[in-house]
PDB file of all heavy atoms in Angstrom:
ATOM      1  N   ARG A   1       0.832  -1.184   0.004  1.00  0.00           N
ATOM      2  CA  ARG A   1       0.034   0.021  -0.004  1.00  0.00           C
ATOM      3  C   ARG A   1       0.850   1.247   0.014  1.00  0.00           C
ATOM      4  O   ARG A   1       0.573   2.224  -0.752  1.00  0.00           O
ATOM      5  CB  ARG A   1      -0.952  -0.044   1.195  1.00  0.00           C
ATOM      6  CG  ARG A   1      -1.842   1.273   1.264  1.00  0.00           C
ATOM      7  CD  ARG A   1      -2.768   1.069   2.477  1.00  0.00           C
ATOM      8  NE  ARG A   1      -3.932   0.270   2.236  1.00  0.00           N
ATOM      9  CZ  ARG A   1      -4.782  -0.134   3.118  1.00  0.00           C
ATOM     10  NH1 ARG A   1      -4.596   0.177   4.338  1.00  0.00           N
ATOM     11  NH2 ARG A   1      -5.788  -0.891   2.747  1.00  0.00           N
ATOM     12  N   THR A   2       1.940   1.247   0.800  1.00  0.00           N
ATOM     13  CA  THR A   2       2.800   2.418   0.888  1.00  0.00           C
ATOM     14  C   THR A   2       3.699   2.490  -0.343  1.00  0.00           C
ATOM     15  O   THR A   2       4.387   3.538  -0.517  1.00  0.00           O
ATOM     16  CB  THR A   2       3.589   2.476   2.160  1.00  0.00           C
ATOM     17  OG1 THR A   2       4.487   1.270   2.156  1.00  0.00           O
ATOM     18  CG2 THR A   2       2.705   2.366   3.351  1.00  0.00           C
ATOM     19  N   ALA A   3       3.869   1.386  -1.018  1.00  0.00           N
ATOM     20  CA  ALA A   3       4.889   1.224  -2.073  1.00  0.00           C
ATOM     21  C   ALA A   3       6.320   1.211  -1.591  1.00  0.00           C
ATOM     22  O   ALA A   3       7.226   1.364  -2.321  1.00  0.00           O
ATOM     23  CB  ALA A   3       4.697   2.323  -3.190  1.00  0.00           C
ATOM     24  N   LEU A   4       6.385   0.932  -0.234  1.00  0.00           N
ATOM     25  CA  LEU A   4       7.693   0.858   0.321  1.00  0.00           C
ATOM     26  C   LEU A   4       8.440  -0.376  -0.227  1.00  0.00           C
ATOM     27  O   LEU A   4       9.627  -0.327  -0.508  1.00  0.00           O
ATOM     28  CB  LEU A   4       7.621   0.722   1.853  1.00  0.00           C
ATOM     29  CG  LEU A   4       8.865   0.726   2.647  1.00  0.00           C
ATOM     30  CD1 LEU A   4       9.705   2.051   2.454  1.00  0.00           C
ATOM     31  CD2 LEU A   4       8.485   0.504   4.144  1.00  0.00           C
ATOM     32  N   ALA A   5       7.705  -1.434  -0.369  1.00  0.00           N
ATOM     33  CA  ALA A   5       8.283  -2.673  -1.017  1.00  0.00           C
ATOM     34  C   ALA A   5       7.157  -3.496  -1.633  1.00  0.00           C
ATOM     35  O   ALA A   5       6.704  -4.427  -1.130  1.00  0.00           O
ATOM     36  CB  ALA A   5       9.000  -3.473   0.011  1.00  0.00           C
ATOM     37  N   PRO A   6       6.695  -3.042  -2.853  1.00  0.00           N
ATOM     38  CA  PRO A   6       5.605  -3.710  -3.510  1.00  0.00           C
ATOM     39  C   PRO A   6       6.019  -5.094  -3.942  1.00  0.00           C
ATOM     40  O   PRO A   6       7.134  -5.335  -4.352  1.00  0.00           O
ATOM     41  CB  PRO A   6       5.266  -2.774  -4.653  1.00  0.00           C
ATOM     42  CG  PRO A   6       6.458  -2.025  -4.943  1.00  0.00           C
ATOM     43  CD  PRO A   6       7.188  -1.867  -3.590  1.00  0.00           C
ATOM     44  N   GLY A   7       5.078  -6.034  -3.856  1.00  0.00           N
ATOM     45  CA  GLY A   7       5.397  -7.419  -4.370  1.00  0.00           C
ATOM     46  C   GLY A   7       4.184  -8.215  -4.421  1.00  0.00           C
ATOM     47  O   GLY A   7       3.242  -7.985  -3.674  1.00  0.00           O
ATOM     48  N   LYS A   8       4.190  -9.201  -5.300  1.00  0.00           N
ATOM     49  CA  LYS A   8       2.995 -10.092  -5.451  1.00  0.00           C
ATOM     50  C   LYS A   8       2.917 -11.192  -4.456  1.00  0.00           C
ATOM     51  O   LYS A   8       1.862 -11.844  -4.204  1.00  0.00           O
ATOM     52  CB  LYS A   8       2.948 -10.640  -6.888  1.00  0.00           C
ATOM     53  CG  LYS A   8       2.746  -9.622  -7.969  1.00  0.00           C
ATOM     54  CD  LYS A   8       2.732 -10.241  -9.383  1.00  0.00           C
ATOM     55  CE  LYS A   8       2.489  -9.222 -10.468  1.00  0.00           C
ATOM     56  NZ  LYS A   8       2.538  -9.809 -11.848  1.00  0.00           N
ATOM     57  N   THR A   9       4.056 -11.478  -3.866  1.00  0.00           N
ATOM     58  CA  THR A   9       4.121 -12.585  -2.842  1.00  0.00           C
ATOM     59  C   THR A   9       4.808 -12.088  -1.626  1.00  0.00           C
ATOM     60  O   THR A   9       5.534 -11.162  -1.638  1.00  0.00           O
ATOM     61  CB  THR A   9       4.937 -13.751  -3.408  1.00  0.00           C
ATOM     62  OG1 THR A   9       6.294 -13.347  -3.594  1.00  0.00           O
ATOM     63  CG2 THR A   9       4.390 -14.249  -4.742  1.00  0.00           C
ATOM     64  N   PRO A  10       4.575 -12.772  -0.466  1.00  0.00           N
ATOM     65  CA  PRO A  10       5.264 -12.388   0.757  1.00  0.00           C
ATOM     66  C   PRO A  10       6.770 -12.439   0.647  1.00  0.00           C
ATOM     67  O   PRO A  10       7.457 -11.535   1.182  1.00  0.00           O
ATOM     68  CB  PRO A  10       4.813 -13.467   1.781  1.00  0.00           C
ATOM     69  CG  PRO A  10       3.440 -13.830   1.254  1.00  0.00           C
ATOM     70  CD  PRO A  10       3.591 -13.788  -0.206  1.00  0.00           C
ATOM     71  N   LEU A  11       7.287 -13.370  -0.167  1.00  0.00           N
ATOM     72  CA  LEU A  11       8.754 -13.363  -0.278  1.00  0.00           C
ATOM     73  C   LEU A  11       9.253 -12.145  -1.045  1.00  0.00           C
ATOM     74  O   LEU A  11      10.303 -11.587  -0.674  1.00  0.00           O
ATOM     75  CB  LEU A  11       9.169 -14.658  -1.075  1.00  0.00           C
ATOM     76  CG  LEU A  11      10.629 -14.819  -1.282  1.00  0.00           C
ATOM     77  CD1 LEU A  11      11.419 -14.868   0.008  1.00  0.00           C
ATOM     78  CD2 LEU A  11      10.921 -16.112  -2.122  1.00  0.00           C
ATOM     79  N   GLU A  12       8.606 -11.724  -2.058  1.00  0.00           N
ATOM     80  CA  GLU A  12       8.990 -10.504  -2.782  1.00  0.00           C
ATOM     81  C   GLU A  12       8.955  -9.257  -1.863  1.00  0.00           C
ATOM     82  O   GLU A  12       9.883  -8.425  -1.912  1.00  0.00           O
ATOM     83  CB  GLU A  12       8.024 -10.239  -3.907  1.00  0.00           C
ATOM     84  CG  GLU A  12       8.220 -11.135  -5.155  1.00  0.00           C
ATOM     85  CD  GLU A  12       7.317 -10.771  -6.353  1.00  0.00           C
ATOM     86  OE1 GLU A  12       6.780  -9.599  -6.359  1.00  0.00           O
ATOM     87  OE2 GLU A  12       7.185 -11.557  -7.251  1.00  0.00           O
ATOM     88  N   VAL A  13       7.905  -9.155  -1.003  1.00  0.00           N
ATOM     89  CA  VAL A  13       7.807  -8.045  -0.093  1.00  0.00           C
ATOM     90  C   VAL A  13       8.960  -8.120   0.927  1.00  0.00           C
ATOM     91  O   VAL A  13       9.616  -7.130   1.246  1.00  0.00           O
ATOM     92  CB  VAL A  13       6.450  -8.017   0.598  1.00  0.00           C
ATOM     93  CG1 VAL A  13       6.448  -6.956   1.740  1.00  0.00           C
ATOM     94  CG2 VAL A  13       5.357  -7.701  -0.441  1.00  0.00           C
ATOM     95  N   GLU A  14       9.155  -9.354   1.475  1.00  0.00           N
ATOM     96  CA  GLU A  14      10.248  -9.584   2.397  1.00  0.00           C
ATOM     97  C   GLU A  14      11.601  -9.129   1.815  1.00  0.00           C
ATOM     98  O   GLU A  14      12.335  -8.381   2.492  1.00  0.00           O
ATOM     99  CB  GLU A  14      10.330 -11.068   2.791  1.00  0.00           C
ATOM    100  CG  GLU A  14      11.507 -11.415   3.724  1.00  0.00           C
ATOM    101  CD  GLU A  14      11.662 -12.927   3.878  1.00  0.00           C
ATOM    102  OE1 GLU A  14      10.680 -13.669   3.671  1.00  0.00           O
ATOM    103  OE2 GLU A  14      12.739 -13.379   4.157  1.00  0.00           O
ATOM    104  N   LEU A  15      11.951  -9.578   0.669  1.00  0.00           N
ATOM    105  CA  LEU A  15      13.278  -9.212   0.075  1.00  0.00           C
ATOM    106  C   LEU A  15      13.343  -7.778  -0.234  1.00  0.00           C
ATOM    107  O   LEU A  15      14.430  -7.141  -0.137  1.00  0.00           O
ATOM    108  CB  LEU A  15      13.496 -10.118  -1.178  1.00  0.00           C
ATOM    109  CG  LEU A  15      13.550 -11.623  -0.899  1.00  0.00           C
ATOM    110  CD1 LEU A  15      13.771 -12.395  -2.231  1.00  0.00           C
ATOM    111  CD2 LEU A  15      14.680 -11.957   0.052  1.00  0.00           C
ATOM    112  N   GLY A  16      12.182  -7.156  -0.655  1.00  0.00           N
ATOM    113  CA  GLY A  16      12.142  -5.761  -0.953  1.00  0.00           C
ATOM    114  C   GLY A  16      12.406  -4.903   0.271  1.00  0.00           C
ATOM    115  O   GLY A  16      13.148  -3.900   0.261  1.00  0.00           O
ATOM    116  N   LEU A  17      11.774  -5.317   1.443  1.00  0.00           N
ATOM    117  CA  LEU A  17      11.955  -4.588   2.653  1.00  0.00           C
ATOM    118  C   LEU A  17      13.376  -4.737   3.139  1.00  0.00           C
ATOM    119  O   LEU A  17      14.026  -3.731   3.614  1.00  0.00           O
ATOM    120  CB  LEU A  17      10.972  -5.065   3.685  1.00  0.00           C
ATOM    121  CG  LEU A  17       9.543  -4.670   3.488  1.00  0.00           C
ATOM    122  CD1 LEU A  17       8.578  -5.449   4.428  1.00  0.00           C
ATOM    123  CD2 LEU A  17       9.336  -3.171   3.578  1.00  0.00           C
ATOM    124  N   GLU A  18      13.961  -5.952   3.068  1.00  0.00           N
ATOM    125  CA  GLU A  18      15.358  -6.132   3.476  1.00  0.00           C
ATOM    126  C   GLU A  18      16.339  -5.267   2.698  1.00  0.00           C
ATOM    127  O   GLU A  18      17.363  -4.825   3.217  1.00  0.00           O
ATOM    128  CB  GLU A  18      15.702  -7.616   3.448  1.00  0.00           C
ATOM    129  CG  GLU A  18      15.016  -8.444   4.428  1.00  0.00           C
ATOM    130  CD  GLU A  18      15.466  -9.913   4.284  1.00  0.00           C
ATOM    131  OE1 GLU A  18      16.024 -10.313   3.241  1.00  0.00           O
ATOM    132  OE2 GLU A  18      15.203 -10.695   5.332  1.00  0.00           O
ATOM    133  N   LYS A  19      15.931  -5.021   1.455  1.00  0.00           N
ATOM    134  CA  LYS A  19      16.844  -4.272   0.567  1.00  0.00           C
ATOM    135  C   LYS A  19      16.831  -2.727   0.880  1.00  0.00           C
ATOM    136  O   LYS A  19      17.861  -2.134   0.781  1.00  0.00           O
ATOM    137  CB  LYS A  19      16.387  -4.475  -0.876  1.00  0.00           C
ATOM    138  CG  LYS A  19      17.300  -3.812  -1.922  1.00  0.00           C
ATOM    139  CD  LYS A  19      16.826  -4.094  -3.352  1.00  0.00           C
ATOM    140  CE  LYS A  19      17.680  -3.462  -4.343  1.00  0.00           C
ATOM    141  NZ  LYS A  19      17.207  -3.754  -5.735  1.00  0.00           N
ATOM    142  N   VAL A  20      15.683  -2.223   1.363  1.00  0.00           N
ATOM    143  CA  VAL A  20      15.594  -0.796   1.509  1.00  0.00           C
ATOM    144  C   VAL A  20      15.765  -0.264   2.980  1.00  0.00           C
ATOM    145  O   VAL A  20      16.118   0.852   3.204  1.00  0.00           O
ATOM    146  CB  VAL A  20      14.286  -0.210   0.932  1.00  0.00           C
ATOM    147  CG1 VAL A  20      14.204  -0.515  -0.536  1.00  0.00           C
ATOM    148  CG2 VAL A  20      13.053  -0.746   1.690  1.00  0.00           C
ATOM    149  N   ILE A  21      15.492  -1.199   3.966  1.00  0.00           N
ATOM    150  CA  ILE A  21      15.495  -0.750   5.317  1.00  0.00           C
ATOM    151  C   ILE A  21      16.983  -0.783   5.850  1.00  0.00           C
ATOM    152  O   ILE A  21      17.634  -1.761   5.761  1.00  0.00           O
ATOM    153  CB  ILE A  21      14.668  -1.692   6.267  1.00  0.00           C
ATOM    154  CG1 ILE A  21      13.173  -1.621   5.782  1.00  0.00           C
ATOM    155  CG2 ILE A  21      14.722  -1.226   7.685  1.00  0.00           C
ATOM    156  CD1 ILE A  21      12.268  -2.618   6.485  1.00  0.00           C
ATOM    157  N   PRO A  22      17.469   0.392   6.443  1.00  0.00           N
ATOM    158  CA  PRO A  22      18.738   0.389   6.966  1.00  0.00           C
ATOM    159  C   PRO A  22      19.016  -0.703   8.123  1.00  0.00           C
ATOM    160  O   PRO A  22      18.067  -0.905   8.830  1.00  0.00           O
ATOM    161  CB  PRO A  22      18.954   1.816   7.475  1.00  0.00           C
ATOM    162  CG  PRO A  22      17.939   2.580   6.715  1.00  0.00           C
ATOM    163  CD  PRO A  22      16.782   1.666   6.476  1.00  0.00           C
ATOM    164  N   ASP A  23      20.145  -1.218   8.207  1.00  0.00           N
ATOM    165  CA  ASP A  23      20.411  -2.255   9.123  1.00  0.00           C
ATOM    166  C   ASP A  23      20.207  -1.917  10.545  1.00  0.00           C
ATOM    167  O   ASP A  23      19.691  -2.694  11.341  1.00  0.00           O
ATOM    168  CB  ASP A  23      21.906  -2.692   8.990  1.00  0.00           C
ATOM    169  CG  ASP A  23      22.123  -4.002   9.752  1.00  0.00           C
ATOM    170  OD1 ASP A  23      21.610  -5.027   9.372  1.00  0.00           O
ATOM    171  OD2 ASP A  23      22.963  -3.910  10.761  1.00  0.00           O
ATOM    172  N   GLU A  24      20.331  -0.638  10.908  1.00  0.00           N
ATOM    173  CA  GLU A  24      20.153  -0.153  12.258  1.00  0.00           C
ATOM    174  C   GLU A  24      18.604  -0.321  12.716  1.00  0.00           C
ATOM    175  O   GLU A  24      18.383  -0.354  13.953  1.00  0.00           O
ATOM    176  CB  GLU A  24      20.619   1.281  12.491  1.00  0.00           C
ATOM    177  CG  GLU A  24      19.737   2.247  11.725  1.00  0.00           C
ATOM    178  CD  GLU A  24      20.164   3.723  11.919  1.00  0.00           C
ATOM    179  OE1 GLU A  24      19.807   4.270  13.005  1.00  0.00           O
ATOM    180  OE2 GLU A  24      20.823   4.242  11.084  1.00  0.00           O
ATOM    181  N   PHE A  25      17.759  -0.517  11.752  1.00  0.00           N
ATOM    182  CA  PHE A  25      16.369  -0.599  12.131  1.00  0.00           C
ATOM    183  C   PHE A  25      15.814  -2.059  12.008  1.00  0.00           C
ATOM    184  O   PHE A  25      14.678  -2.270  12.292  1.00  0.00           O
ATOM    185  CB  PHE A  25      15.501   0.343  11.247  1.00  0.00           C
ATOM    186  CG  PHE A  25      15.801   1.753  11.341  1.00  0.00           C
ATOM    187  CD1 PHE A  25      16.366   2.429  10.292  1.00  0.00           C
ATOM    188  CD2 PHE A  25      15.448   2.537  12.448  1.00  0.00           C
ATOM    189  CE1 PHE A  25      16.692   3.753  10.347  1.00  0.00           C
ATOM    190  CE2 PHE A  25      15.743   3.882  12.569  1.00  0.00           C
ATOM    191  CZ  PHE A  25      16.359   4.488  11.483  1.00  0.00           C
ATOM    192  N   MET A  26      16.606  -2.905  11.468  1.00  0.00           N
ATOM    193  CA  MET A  26      16.112  -4.265  11.052  1.00  0.00           C
ATOM    194  C   MET A  26      15.665  -5.211  12.209  1.00  0.00           C
ATOM    195  O   MET A  26      14.842  -6.009  12.081  1.00  0.00           O
ATOM    196  CB  MET A  26      17.168  -4.971  10.251  1.00  0.00           C
ATOM    197  CG  MET A  26      17.070  -4.617   8.782  1.00  0.00           C
ATOM    198  SD  MET A  26      15.473  -4.965   8.044  1.00  0.00           S
ATOM    199  CE  MET A  26      15.386  -6.797   8.098  1.00  0.00           C
ATOM    200  N   LEU A  27      16.206  -4.938  13.455  1.00  0.00           N
ATOM    201  CA  LEU A  27      15.931  -5.798  14.552  1.00  0.00           C
ATOM    202  C   LEU A  27      14.423  -5.602  14.911  1.00  0.00           C
ATOM    203  O   LEU A  27      13.719  -6.545  15.193  1.00  0.00           O
ATOM    204  CB  LEU A  27      16.738  -5.385  15.799  1.00  0.00           C
ATOM    205  CG  LEU A  27      16.405  -6.262  17.059  1.00  0.00           C
ATOM    206  CD1 LEU A  27      16.657  -7.725  16.783  1.00  0.00           C
ATOM    207  CD2 LEU A  27      17.295  -5.785  18.218  1.00  0.00           C
ATOM    208  N   HIS A  28      13.891  -4.440  14.853  1.00  0.00           N
ATOM    209  CA  HIS A  28      12.544  -4.169  15.233  1.00  0.00           C
ATOM    210  C   HIS A  28      11.663  -3.843  14.029  1.00  0.00           C
ATOM    211  O   HIS A  28      10.463  -3.616  14.248  1.00  0.00           O
ATOM    212  CB  HIS A  28      12.462  -3.007  16.208  1.00  0.00           C
ATOM    213  CG  HIS A  28      13.147  -3.173  17.495  1.00  0.00           C
ATOM    214  ND1 HIS A  28      12.943  -4.332  18.261  1.00  0.00           N
ATOM    215  CD2 HIS A  28      14.057  -2.460  18.130  1.00  0.00           C
ATOM    216  CE1 HIS A  28      13.667  -4.251  19.336  1.00  0.00           C
ATOM    217  NE2 HIS A  28      14.352  -3.169  19.298  1.00  0.00           N
ATOM    218  N   ALA A  29      12.159  -3.836  12.815  1.00  0.00           N
ATOM    219  CA  ALA A  29      11.432  -3.374  11.648  1.00  0.00           C
ATOM    220  C   ALA A  29      10.102  -4.123  11.414  1.00  0.00           C
ATOM    221  O   ALA A  29       9.068  -3.565  11.204  1.00  0.00           O
ATOM    222  CB  ALA A  29      12.245  -3.394  10.389  1.00  0.00           C
ATOM    223  N   HIS A  30      10.204  -5.477  11.554  1.00  0.00           N
ATOM    224  CA  HIS A  30       8.955  -6.194  11.279  1.00  0.00           C
ATOM    225  C   HIS A  30       7.920  -6.000  12.332  1.00  0.00           C
ATOM    226  O   HIS A  30       6.633  -5.946  12.066  1.00  0.00           O
ATOM    227  CB  HIS A  30       9.249  -7.685  11.020  1.00  0.00           C
ATOM    228  CG  HIS A  30       9.047  -8.600  12.164  1.00  0.00           C
ATOM    229  ND1 HIS A  30      10.021  -8.910  13.055  1.00  0.00           N
ATOM    230  CD2 HIS A  30       7.954  -9.336  12.577  1.00  0.00           C
ATOM    231  CE1 HIS A  30       9.586  -9.777  13.986  1.00  0.00           C
ATOM    232  NE2 HIS A  30       8.329 -10.003  13.745  1.00  0.00           N
ATOM    233  N   HIS A  31       8.315  -5.712  13.587  1.00  0.00           N
ATOM    234  CA  HIS A  31       7.295  -5.421  14.616  1.00  0.00           C
ATOM    235  C   HIS A  31       6.638  -4.038  14.334  1.00  0.00           C
ATOM    236  O   HIS A  31       5.400  -3.888  14.485  1.00  0.00           O
ATOM    237  CB  HIS A  31       7.985  -5.406  15.996  1.00  0.00           C
ATOM    238  CG  HIS A  31       8.227  -6.751  16.584  1.00  0.00           C
ATOM    239  ND1 HIS A  31       9.384  -7.116  17.017  1.00  0.00           N
ATOM    240  CD2 HIS A  31       7.428  -7.785  16.688  1.00  0.00           C
ATOM    241  CE1 HIS A  31       9.350  -8.410  17.471  1.00  0.00           C
ATOM    242  NE2 HIS A  31       8.192  -8.815  17.217  1.00  0.00           N
ATOM    243  N   TRP A  32       7.465  -3.097  13.977  1.00  0.00           N
ATOM    244  CA  TRP A  32       6.860  -1.740  13.652  1.00  0.00           C
ATOM    245  C   TRP A  32       5.860  -1.851  12.559  1.00  0.00           C
ATOM    246  O   TRP A  32       4.740  -1.217  12.634  1.00  0.00           O
ATOM    247  CB  TRP A  32       7.983  -0.728  13.321  1.00  0.00           C
ATOM    248  CG  TRP A  32       8.785  -0.283  14.446  1.00  0.00           C
ATOM    249  CD1 TRP A  32       8.306   0.112  15.703  1.00  0.00           C
ATOM    250  CD2 TRP A  32      10.162  -0.052  14.487  1.00  0.00           C
ATOM    251  NE1 TRP A  32       9.345   0.513  16.512  1.00  0.00           N
ATOM    252  CE2 TRP A  32      10.480   0.451  15.784  1.00  0.00           C
ATOM    253  CE3 TRP A  32      11.168  -0.197  13.580  1.00  0.00           C
ATOM    254  CZ2 TRP A  32      11.792   0.836  16.120  1.00  0.00           C
ATOM    255  CZ3 TRP A  32      12.509   0.084  13.999  1.00  0.00           C
ATOM    256  CH2 TRP A  32      12.803   0.583  15.261  1.00  0.00           C
ATOM    257  N   LEU A  33       6.226  -2.639  11.509  1.00  0.00           N
ATOM    258  CA  LEU A  33       5.304  -2.744  10.352  1.00  0.00           C
ATOM    259  C   LEU A  33       4.090  -3.574  10.696  1.00  0.00           C
ATOM    260  O   LEU A  33       2.958  -3.198  10.224  1.00  0.00           O
ATOM    261  CB  LEU A  33       6.030  -3.368   9.196  1.00  0.00           C
ATOM    262  CG  LEU A  33       7.144  -2.518   8.626  1.00  0.00           C
ATOM    263  CD1 LEU A  33       7.946  -3.254   7.604  1.00  0.00           C
ATOM    264  CD2 LEU A  33       6.616  -1.223   7.947  1.00  0.00           C
ATOM    265  N   ILE A  34       4.210  -4.559  11.508  1.00  0.00           N
ATOM    266  CA  ILE A  34       3.028  -5.368  11.903  1.00  0.00           C
ATOM    267  C   ILE A  34       2.056  -4.514  12.744  1.00  0.00           C
ATOM    268  O   ILE A  34       0.853  -4.455  12.487  1.00  0.00           O
ATOM    269  CB  ILE A  34       3.445  -6.672  12.734  1.00  0.00           C
ATOM    270  CG1 ILE A  34       4.125  -7.654  11.829  1.00  0.00           C
ATOM    271  CG2 ILE A  34       2.246  -7.220  13.456  1.00  0.00           C
ATOM    272  CD1 ILE A  34       4.741  -8.853  12.621  1.00  0.00           C
ATOM    273  N   LEU A  35       2.643  -3.858  13.718  1.00  0.00           N
ATOM    274  CA  LEU A  35       1.772  -2.944  14.523  1.00  0.00           C
ATOM    275  C   LEU A  35       1.155  -1.837  13.792  1.00  0.00           C
ATOM    276  O   LEU A  35      -0.012  -1.490  13.967  1.00  0.00           O
ATOM    277  CB  LEU A  35       2.632  -2.404  15.740  1.00  0.00           C
ATOM    278  CG  LEU A  35       3.175  -3.497  16.702  1.00  0.00           C
ATOM    279  CD1 LEU A  35       4.159  -2.824  17.712  1.00  0.00           C
ATOM    280  CD2 LEU A  35       2.015  -4.187  17.402  1.00  0.00           C
ATOM    281  N   HIS A  36       1.916  -1.277  12.797  1.00  0.00           N
ATOM    282  CA  HIS A  36       1.294  -0.297  12.003  1.00  0.00           C
ATOM    283  C   HIS A  36       0.130  -0.769  11.154  1.00  0.00           C
ATOM    284  O   HIS A  36      -0.891  -0.105  11.058  1.00  0.00           O
ATOM    285  CB  HIS A  36       2.395   0.287  11.021  1.00  0.00           C
ATOM    286  CG  HIS A  36       1.962   1.492  10.271  1.00  0.00           C
ATOM    287  ND1 HIS A  36       1.706   2.719  10.874  1.00  0.00           N
ATOM    288  CD2 HIS A  36       1.806   1.709   8.929  1.00  0.00           C
ATOM    289  CE1 HIS A  36       1.298   3.587   9.946  1.00  0.00           C
ATOM    290  NE2 HIS A  36       1.402   2.976   8.701  1.00  0.00           N
ATOM    291  N   GLY A  37       0.286  -2.009  10.621  1.00  0.00           N
ATOM    292  CA  GLY A  37      -0.721  -2.547   9.835  1.00  0.00           C
ATOM    293  C   GLY A  37      -1.931  -2.960  10.647  1.00  0.00           C
ATOM    294  O   GLY A  37      -3.117  -2.989  10.242  1.00  0.00           O
ATOM    295  N   ARG A  38      -1.664  -3.431  11.782  1.00  0.00           N
ATOM    296  CA  ARG A  38      -2.710  -3.946  12.774  1.00  0.00           C
ATOM    297  C   ARG A  38      -3.565  -2.858  13.337  1.00  0.00           C
ATOM    298  O   ARG A  38      -4.789  -2.977  13.543  1.00  0.00           O
ATOM    299  CB  ARG A  38      -2.095  -4.746  13.855  1.00  0.00           C
ATOM    300  CG  ARG A  38      -3.114  -5.427  14.852  1.00  0.00           C
ATOM    301  CD  ARG A  38      -2.337  -6.386  15.728  1.00  0.00           C
ATOM    302  NE  ARG A  38      -1.899  -7.548  15.116  1.00  0.00           N
ATOM    303  CZ  ARG A  38      -0.939  -8.410  15.523  1.00  0.00           C
ATOM    304  NH1 ARG A  38      -0.421  -8.151  16.731  1.00  0.00           N
ATOM    305  NH2 ARG A  38      -0.619  -9.468  14.849  1.00  0.00           N
ATOM    306  N   TYR A  39      -2.941  -1.680  13.643  1.00  0.00           N
ATOM    307  CA  TYR A  39      -3.714  -0.666  14.365  1.00  0.00           C
ATOM    308  C   TYR A  39      -3.897   0.627  13.668  1.00  0.00           C
ATOM    309  O   TYR A  39      -4.720   1.490  14.053  1.00  0.00           O
ATOM    310  CB  TYR A  39      -2.942  -0.365  15.718  1.00  0.00           C
ATOM    311  CG  TYR A  39      -2.922  -1.556  16.657  1.00  0.00           C
ATOM    312  CD1 TYR A  39      -1.707  -2.256  16.865  1.00  0.00           C
ATOM    313  CD2 TYR A  39      -4.118  -2.078  17.212  1.00  0.00           C
ATOM    314  CE1 TYR A  39      -1.719  -3.366  17.741  1.00  0.00           C
ATOM    315  CE2 TYR A  39      -4.066  -3.201  17.989  1.00  0.00           C
ATOM    316  CZ  TYR A  39      -2.876  -3.803  18.246  1.00  0.00           C
ATOM    317  OH  TYR A  39      -2.853  -4.981  19.086  1.00  0.00           O
TER     318      TYR A  39
END
C-alpha cells in the first residue's frame, strides 16, 4: 500500500523490505510494520 516494497508474494515483499531498510532498524522493523498494519 505504501509502495515501500511492493510485491505479489510475501517473499517479494520480504526481500524488498530487507533491501531498503537500513540495518540499524532491522531488529525491530517487522514489529513496527506489523503494529502499523494492525492498528
Side-chain angles (χ1 to χ4, degrees):
R1 182 179 278 170
T2 64
L4 186 61
K8 294 180 179 180
T9 66
L11 181 58
E12 284 184 16
V13 173
E14 175 188 334
L15 298 179
L17 289 170
E18 288 181 344
K19 184 177 180 180
V20 300
I21 299 173
D23 189 65
E24 68 178 279
F25 299 109
M26 277 300 296
L27 179 61
H28 296 311
H30 98 268
H31 282 129
W32 284 320
L33 293 172
I34 287 172
L35 295 173
H36 187 65
R38 182 173 289 164
Y39 298 112

